[in-house]
Each structure stands twice: as structure tokens, then as C-alpha cells.
Amino acid sequence: MNYEFKKWVGCLGVAFLVGCIHTSKQDIPSFDWIQSNHQMDFSWVEEVGAKNIPKGDTFSANSYGAVNDSTRLSTQAIQAAIDACCKAGGGIVTFEPGYYQTGALFLKKGVNLEIPKDVTLLASTDINDYPEFRSRIAGIEMVWPSAVLNIMDTENAAISGKGTIDCRGKIFWDKYWEMRKEYVEEGLRWIVDYDCKRVRGILISKSSDVTLKDFTLMRTGFWGVQVLYSTNCTIDGLAINNNIGGHGPSTDGIDIDSSSFILIENCEVDCNDDNICLKAGRDADGLRVNRPTEYVVVRNCIARKGAGLITCGSETSGGIRNILGYNLQAYGTSSVMRLKSALNRGGTVENIYMSNVIADSIRNVLAADLNWHPSYSYSKLPPQYEGKELPEHWITMLTPVEPEEKGYPYFKNVYLANVKATHVQQFISASGWNEALKLEDFGLYNIQADVEKAGKIAFTKRFNLKDIELNMPGNDQILLENNTNLTEDIRYKQAKTGLITHTADPNHSSLSQ
């Protein structure tokens, strides 16, 4: 971090980094600068997050046979303690200091699995220790291994403590990269991510009043935390680090998947794919389920390496709406705000608000693309597989969206404000698809960025740039093409900036959606 950036954080960051660490739900940044007929409603902010956290007696997993020996599986013993705790009416399951190896665990109603500071849960590297069941993976429902920790079909459950969950996922990363080489040669880039089964870190599915608090989650084989078909969940104070010991494909940090009234705060995410991502299904299967992600607050979080501080998509089929992010930081992240979909996804991304952001060494301040990553996004069966019996999930992926226009995605009412960014490759990359499929009602306000390039805005309608200052070498300006009712208040200043060298290509990850 350079001197000027540190100075700015020290002088101005107090206003929204230090002063807002304990911010209340009422402390929402102002969006009064928005110049449109859009009606803002943040009354829902009061309703996000878990309403309860489990209380009761304490149960020691060691009393049920768990051993702090990293070479021996304690899955059955830990599960027995969880089951006993639930049967007794709920409480806390905890551990004596040490390292515990485990396969899949399933939390129950009223149970708080506490991982103390001096405890590490080591995930088994044997995929057979993770029973398979039907879930949703990267936008489609299919059979997939369970996560290391699973909270399913329940309420009032928690995972807490200052300890560590080490998912030891490199074995699955290596498996994926080897399979991908073969699949690309066969014309199967679109399905390798689904054929290569890997273990998630934490799954919350069809549950409510769930809290994840204060622990470290690392080296997940697949997504870190997936909140699926759930309501009123809190993710608070997690440190997620998937950039240890290799390049982990699809190691998203936190994925909110067709869920509502979610609070994410005080988290730090370092990964090889989207840091905090909002999803709602893909293609025909996502349109069948048709369940949105909505009413989500993200605040006081830090994103490090990864594809996006806050990302919407590319799984947009059920719709993503009413998302509020503020008091955020990004260091080495690909984009501050990232929106992506494809022409067979469908769904509308709307009412996205983000404010008060400090960023350094990033690729884009804003990236928006309706036709993202075609080699992954569009499924086509190679001729050599025609007439052969296909797996169920292949058939799901190959099912066309009909009529075709049902698959068109829409981005509208998207607002980003109060950003200070240094060492930026490109300020903006925002493009609709054509005259009939434009980005609508976008607003960027009070942004200062030191950039190498200005970028491009194309096929938009009512795109408003207000109080934007871009410092860059040369005379580059934003390329504007096929925009309707675009307003720009941009100050271009010549300055010397250093090229950034570390942001990873998100397409090197398997599922950067």
C-alpha cells in the first residue's frame, strides 16, 4: 500500500472505516444524489440477519469420543455430541484444545458448534467421507457431496468461536485442473465444473436463524460458505482464506444463493474467485426454481485477492434485488462491484446499492457484462457424444431456455458511490448487449480513482456519472458507444501511476460466476 493511499485512509477513512465498525442498521449511507425517478426503500434493512442464537448446556465432543489426534477420524463422535445436544433441547458443543479430523458433520436445531481459539477441525481429504445428496451447485440442482459442515432443514443453529476449519481442499483443486485439460480438448468446458465433484466448506440449506461467527475458514475444496434457499442468516467476523498452497478453482468466499434477509459483516475474504457473491440459479433449471436472492446487507468487510468484492451473478435466473453494501475495502480484488450474466440466464438484477469503499490494486471499479464467459456459459454437446446416454446433470445443462427471450438478463437501478481507488487497471467496463438489451439506470457518484485506462460504457440507458475524478497517464477517456441519456461529470487529470501486477485472471478459476 503506497504512502498516499495510507495517508488517505488515515485522514478520511475514520469517517467510514473506524467510526462505522459498530454501525447500527439505521446508519445507512445517503443515496440522495441519485438523479432518477427511482424510489429507494431501505425499511427491509431492519429485518436482515438471524434473530436467535442457540443457548443452553455445554456438551464436550471429547466426552463422546472425539480425539485431538489429527490422524484419526472423529466424525461419529462429534456427530454424537451434536445429536445429544439437540435432543436435550439445544446448547453448545465444544472441544478440548487440539486438532480433530472429521468428515461431513450435520448440525441440528438449537446447536451451536463452538470451535475455540486453540482448536482446528481438519477436513478429511477422502471424498467418501462426504455423503452425497441433491443440492444446488453453481446454479443447477444435482447430486453432490455434502460440505464439511452442513446446516440443513433446520432453524436456530450456529457455528462460532475463534478457532479454525481447515478444509485441506488442494486435493480437489488438483483433481479439477487435471480434468479440465481433458474436458477442454473434448469440447466440454461447459460441464467440467459439474463433473468434478468437490467439497464445500459450509452449507446452509433450507434453514433460518443461522449464525456463523468469528472463526477462520481456509482451503475449501469448492465454495467457502453457501447459503442456499434460506432466510435470516448472519455471517459475522469470518476470516476466509483460500489462497494457501495453490490456485483453488471455484473457491468463492461467501455465496448467497436464492436466499433472503442475510447480513454479512466484519468479514475478511481472500480467495481465487468471487469474494462475496449473490446468486439465483442458472438457465432453464434456475428459471424453473425461480427463487430470488434479495434483502442482503454487506458491511464492514475486506476483500483481498478474488474476482469481486461484491458480485451479482452470473447465476441471475431467479433475480437478485435489494442489495446494500457499505463501509468496505478491497485490496488486490478484481472488481469493486461486478455484475455478470449470460443470454440464457434470464432474471433481473436491480436495486443494488454500494457506498463508502476504499480500494487499492484492483482491475476495475465497476464491471458489468450481460454476455459473460461464453465458453463456460453456453452448453453444447460435441458430436462424438450425440446418441449416447448422458448423465442427468448434463441433460439439465443442455436443456434450452424457451422461448429464447426468457433467457435475456436485465441489469437496472445499480448505484455505486463514495469510492477512493488507487492502482486501478481500468476504471469501468460496462456493456449491455444491443439496442434492445441495455444496462438501465446506473449511477456512479463521488469516485476518485488513479487508473491506467478509463474503460468503456456501451449500450446503456440513463447512465449517470457524477463527480468522477480519474487520474491517469496520457489523454485516455472513457469510450462511449450506443448510450441513451448518458450524463457525465468527469474530471480527467494526467498523473503517473504504477501498473498493477497481481490481480488474478478470474477465468483461471473454474466458476467465476
Side-chain angles (χ1 to χ4, degrees):
M1 191 184 305
N2 66 22
Y3 171 76
E4 288 300 324
F5 188 71
K6 289 190 287 185
K7 180 180 178 182
W8 190 88
V9 172
C11 295
L12 299 183
V14 173
F16 59 84
L17 293 180
V18 177
C20 294
I21 290 300
H22 302 291
T23 185
S24 67
K25 291 179 181 177
Q26 295 86 355
D27 228 351
I28 299 170
S30 171
F31 288 88
D32 291 343
W33 55 270
I34 294 175
Q35 296 177 337
S36 75
N37 295 323
H38 174 63
Q39 299 296 313
M40 290 177 291
D41 177 13
F42 291 118
S43 60
W44 54 268
V45 172
E46 292 291 334
E47 303 302 320
V48 301
K51 305 302 179 185
N52 301 290
I53 191 164
K55 299 177 181 177
D57 294 337
T58 297
F59 293 74
S60 171
N62 301 82
S63 299
Y64 289 81
V67 290
N68 54 359
D69 180 344
S70 62
T71 66
R72 295 171 57 186
L73 273 175
S74 289
T75 313
Q76 291 184 353
I78 300 170
Q79 190 64 56
I82 291 169
D83 295 346
C85 180
C86 176
K87 187 175 181 180
I92 299 170
V93 173
T94 191
F95 301 83
E96 296 175 4
Y99 291 81
Y100 298 82
Q101 186 182 168
T102 182
L105 297 171
F106 296 84
L107 272 70
K108 303 291 181 65
K109 181 178 180 180
V111 175
N112 180 357
L113 183 66
E114 180 188 55
I115 307 168
K117 183 178 180 180
D118 47 9
V119 168
T120 297
L121 296 186
L122 296 171
S124 169
T125 57
D126 184 350
I127 202 167
N128 295 310
D129 290 325
Y130 303 93
E132 292 190 344
F133 53 78
R134 184 165 290 274
S135 184
R136 180 195 262 177
I137 298 299
I140 69 168
E141 293 186 347
M142 62 176 290
V143 175
W144 193 265
S146 46
V148 179
L149 299 178
N150 303 269
I151 302 175
M152 302 173 59
D153 304 292
T154 193
E155 60 184 2
N156 190 26
I159 304 169
S160 66
K162 299 288 187 179
T164 299
I165 303 165
D166 185 351
C167 296
R168 301 198 292 179
K170 189 175 185 300
I171 187 172
F172 302 115
W173 306 349
D174 294 344
K175 173 186 175 184
Y176 172 82
W177 292 123
E178 286 302 313
M179 285 182 64
R180 179 157 153 176
K181 293 176 186 176
E182 300 173 5
Y183 274 60
V184 168
E185 291 176 358
E186 289 287 311
L188 297 171
R189 172 66 188 89
W190 54 275
I191 199 64
V192 61
D193 300 81
Y194 301 86
D195 277 9
C196 184
K197 293 182 177 180
R198 290 153 285 166
V199 177
R200 291 162 285 186
I202 297 171
L203 171 65
I204 301 169
S205 178
K206 298 180 182 178
S207 297
S208 62
D209 279 329
V210 175
T211 299
L212 307 181
K213 186 172 175 58
D214 290 342
F215 55 86
T216 295
L217 179 67
M218 58 191 287
R219 298 196 293 181
T220 61
F222 190 61
W223 293 352
V225 175
Q226 181 183 11
V227 181
L228 174 65
Y229 303 153
S230 295
T231 61
N232 290 106
C233 298
T234 294
I235 303 172
D236 180 8
L238 266 59
I240 299 176
N241 193 342
N242 287 331
N243 281 317
I244 299 174
H247 186 90
S250 305
T251 54
D252 293 20
I254 299 169
D255 291 291
I256 309 304
D257 196 349
S258 290
S259 296
S260 58
F261 296 102
I262 309 298
L263 174 61
I264 303 169
E265 61 181 352
N266 307 317
C267 293
E268 184 168 342
V269 181
D270 192 355
C271 63
N272 267 301
D273 216 312
D274 293 311
N275 300 71
I276 299 171
C277 193
L278 310 167
K279 301 175 177 291
R282 71 169 287 174
D283 306 352
D285 198 59
L287 291 166
R288 173 187 63 81
V289 174
N290 193 30
R291 181 167 175 171
T293 280
E294 57 186 345
Y295 307 122
V296 179
V297 172
V298 182
R299 62 190 183 195
N300 304 326
C301 291
I302 299 172
R304 298 196 181 277
K305 287 184 180 178
L309 171 50
I310 293 181
T311 296
C312 297
S314 71
E315 300 150 2
T316 60
S317 301
I320 299 168
R321 55 185 181 243
N322 298 319
I323 311 299
L324 173 63
Y326 60 102
N327 303 340
L328 303 168
Q329 302 172 63
Y331 305 109
T333 317
S334 181
S335 298
V336 169
M337 179 188 285
R338 191 177 193 211
L339 312 175
K340 50 183 176 170
S341 190
L343 300 177
N344 54 356
R345 293 284 192 277
T348 299
V349 176
E350 61 184 331
N351 303 342
I352 313 298
Y353 308 90
M354 194 171 178
S355 185
N356 297 1
V357 182
I358 288 176
D360 184 57
S361 299
I362 62 173
R363 180 175 297 159
N364 303 286
V365 173
L366 172 66
D369 189 353
L370 292 178
N371 186 35
W372 173 80
H373 202 346
S375 66
Y376 167 77
S377 291
Y378 304 114
S379 306
K380 183 178 180 180
L381 190 67
Q384 65 268 31
Y385 291 93
E386 292 179 3
K388 294 184 179 180
E389 184 175 353
L390 302 176
E392 178 193 14
H393 61 281
W394 283 42
I395 296 171
T396 299
M397 288 284 286
L398 289 163
T399 301
V401 174
E402 296 178 342
E404 182 179 298
E405 55 268 24
K406 189 176 179 181
Y408 295 164
Y410 297 90
F411 295 169
K412 63 182 183 179
N413 299 330
V414 175
Y415 306 102
L416 175 62
N418 304 317
V419 179
K420 174 71 175 181
T422 52
H423 297 97
V424 182
Q425 276 190 355
Q426 178 176 264
F427 172 60
I428 191 168
S429 174
S431 296
W433 179 241
N434 54 27
E435 289 290 343
L437 198 58
K438 292 188 170 186
L439 308 181
E440 296 189 22
D441 294 297
F442 275 56
L444 278 66
Y445 170 71
N446 190 29
I447 297 175
Q448 300 173 51
D450 299 339
V451 305
E452 294 296 325
K453 296 189 298 182
K456 179 180 179 180
I457 301 173
F459 290 114
T460 71
K461 188 175 182 179
R462 294 183 298 274
F463 202 107
N464 182 24
L465 298 153
K466 182 179 180 182
D467 195 13
I468 310 297
E469 180 179 301
L470 301 181
N471 302 303
M472 72 184 79
N475 298 311
D476 189 30
Q477 295 190 6
I478 297 174
L479 178 62
L480 304 174
E481 295 181 348
N482 301 297
N483 301 293
T484 304
N485 296 329
L486 181 143
T487 61
E488 53 176 319
D489 171 17
I490 305 173
R491 298 183 301 279
Y492 293 98
K493 296 185 177 181
Q494 288 193 14
K496 291 183 178 180
T497 61
L499 288 171
I500 60 178
T501 58
H502 56 73
T503 43
D505 182 351
N507 287 339
H508 285 177
S509 301
S510 62
L511 286 176
S512 297
Q513 76 266 33

